Amino acid sequence: MEIVHIPVLLEEALEQLSIKEGEILVDCTIGEGGHSVEFLKKVGTKGFLIGIDLDSIVLEKCTERLSKVGTNFRLVHGNFKNVLGIVFELGFSKVDKIFADLGMSSFQLSKGDFGFSFRENGPLDMRMNKEMQFSAMDVINRFSENEIASILWECGEERFSRLIARKIVEAREIKQIETTFELASIVSKVYPLHHRKIHPATRTFQALRIYVNNELGNLSLMLDEVPEIIRIGGRIAIISYHSLEDRIVKNVFKKSPKFKILNKTVIKPKSGELKANRRARSAKMRVAERV
Ligand code: SAH
């Protein structure tokens, strides 16, 4: 089993969550278990770890990895928006700590068949869970020009959303757009030259992934539910990777009377981590206590 993903803000997450022996922790996005291997060590044999992920393949890898550390864990193939039901179903009414490391893993990015990356050629799919109703290919080939432009704007803050949407519609009239490279090439061709600090397709791909997987909706639903299951004095830490997610976390932590923000300024990776791990570039962690 090859581990591809390097966990982001691992030390900071351990410090902020301040996990004690015997505690119950939910990792809402367990992925390859980069964080949870350490969480499991901290809760010890008297504690318990619940891991959730939408991706069943990654769960197999994770089971193997965690089994080397302990047996007091359960992995659930599911969506963290249902975290309440998942925790209850496993027989717990309250937990001590909740953690989520949003987005996709390097493992998923590196596998072209998800279609997340404009650097890997693959089918334009983007569904983290193949049971989702529609894929990025459906959005790109069937949605109206206006709908595509709105998605690029609302889920990607792409300032050239209208121009890109128009070019997508023109291109699909000639031939259905089926691969990541086809889409990346359409976007790259129209993107104004002096606005290319990042790859021109970055925001388009981000927007499609967020939309197809309803990532912002899932996050809001999860944040709505979690105060019910975190014991008073328990903690929640969330790592996000773009401003849309971070804004949701920030607002909920600020406005909800059930949360007290623990970190006054947002926690970001130190320069050493930034150099060693590309994925850490845009990471931001916020931590709150259940009050
Ligand atoms: N912390 C992990 C990496 C997590 S990457 C590690 O260090 O190994 C993010 C993971 O979240 C991915 O595996 C992705 O499939 C999962 N994910 C994204 N949205 C989800 C959701 N709504 N519910 C459950 N899992 C989700």
Side-chain angles (χ1 to χ4, degrees):
M1 177 193 59
E2 192 205 353
I3 297 298
V4 185
H5 186 90
I6 311 168
V8 174
L9 289 169
L10 177 59
E11 259 176 56
E12 291 82 351
L14 285 167
E15 190 187 317
Q16 295 291 329
L17 283 170
S18 173
I19 303 161
K20 311 267 178 336
E21 221 184 313
E23 286 191 338
I24 302 159
L25 188 143
V26 185
D27 185 342
C28 291
T29 54
I30 198 157
E32 289 180 78
H35 293 90
S36 269
V37 163
E38 300 307 319
F39 295 161
L40 191 56
K41 288 180 193 161
K42 290 267 179 207
V43 297
T45 46
K46 294 194 193 85
F48 202 80
L49 172 80
I50 301 165
I52 306 171
D53 208 290
L54 275 178
D55 179 358
S56 51
I57 296 170
V58 100
L59 285 179
E60 279 172 37
K61 290 178 80 170
C62 190
T63 306
E64 204 182 316
R65 190 175 187 188
L66 292 176
S67 300
K68 293 188 180 130
V69 178
T71 50
N72 46 331
F73 68 88
R74 274 292 289 278
L75 301 189
V76 179
H77 180 216
N79 193 316
F80 60 57
K81 72 174 182 191
N82 303 320
V83 59
L84 199 81
I86 291 172
V87 165
F88 289 165
E89 213 156 284
L90 291 176
F92 297 98
S93 55
K94 294 276 180 223
V95 304
D96 300 285
K97 307 283 157 69
I98 301 243
F99 176 71
D101 176 21
L102 302 173
M104 75 243 132
S105 67
S106 310
F107 170 65
Q108 292 168 325
L109 253 186
S110 67
K111 284 185 29 193
D113 51 349
F114 275 103
F116 287 151
S117 171
F118 45 80
R119 294 181 207 282
E120 302 282 337
N121 202 13
L124 201 52
D125 189 322
M126 299 210 189
R127 289 169 302 168
M128 286 190 200
N129 180 350
K130 301 292 179 224
E131 286 147 27
M132 292 297 278
Q133 286 166 330
F134 53 79
S135 68
M137 207 187 301
D138 297 319
V139 175
I140 290 296
N141 291 291
R142 300 215 191 108
F143 283 31
S144 72
E145 184 179 327
N146 267 339
E147 284 167 327
I148 295 174
S150 307
I151 291 168
L152 298 189
W153 175 246
E154 281 159 29
C155 299
E157 298 178 310
E158 171 54 71
R159 68 170 103 174
F160 301 109
S161 55
R162 303 221 151 264
L163 175 67
I164 295 170
R166 190 175 345 119
K167 293 295 167 186
I168 287 171
V169 169
E170 277 172 26
R172 78 187 188 191
E173 273 162 18
I174 300 163
K175 182 198 162 298
Q176 172 155 282
I177 303 162
E178 289 171 356
T179 67
T180 51
F181 276 10
E182 280 170 31
L183 178 63
S185 141
I186 294 165
V187 181
S188 297
K189 273 190 209 136
V190 299
Y191 218 84
L193 284 174
H194 52 287
H195 283 285
R196 292 181 181 229
K197 268 198 215 131
I198 49 174
H199 188 290
T202 307
R203 287 176 179 275
T204 296
F205 273 65
Q206 175 197 306
L208 284 169
R209 202 199 76 220
I210 290 178
Y211 183 78
V212 166
N213 296 294
N214 190 22
E215 291 181 26
L216 303 177
N218 291 337
L219 177 61
S220 298
L221 286 169
M222 185 260 273
L223 289 170
D224 255 13
E225 287 202 340
V226 284
E228 291 296 312
I229 48 167
I230 310 179
R231 69 160 169 85
I232 305 284
R235 290 185 181 186
I236 174 165
I238 311 246
I239 305 178
S240 63
Y241 293 88
H242 54 79
S243 53
L244 295 163
E245 283 172 348
D246 184 54
R247 209 171 297 151
I248 293 175
V249 179
K250 183 176 156 186
N251 286 338
V252 172
F253 283 1
K254 228 185 203 168
K255 288 183 189 147
S256 166
K258 293 179 177 159
F259 287 127
K260 183 179 106 193
I261 295 176
L262 290 182
N263 58 305
K264 293 224 165 56
T265 51
V266 69
I267 299 164
K268 292 183 189 165
K270 299 194 188 87
S271 63
E273 181 174 4
L274 288 173
K275 273 188 209 127
N277 187 2
R278 258 183 77 81
R279 188 174 183 263
R281 271 181 318 171
S282 42
K284 285 182 180 163
M285 180 162 70
R286 294 189 187 270
V287 192
E289 187 178 307
R290 172 76 170 88
V291 288

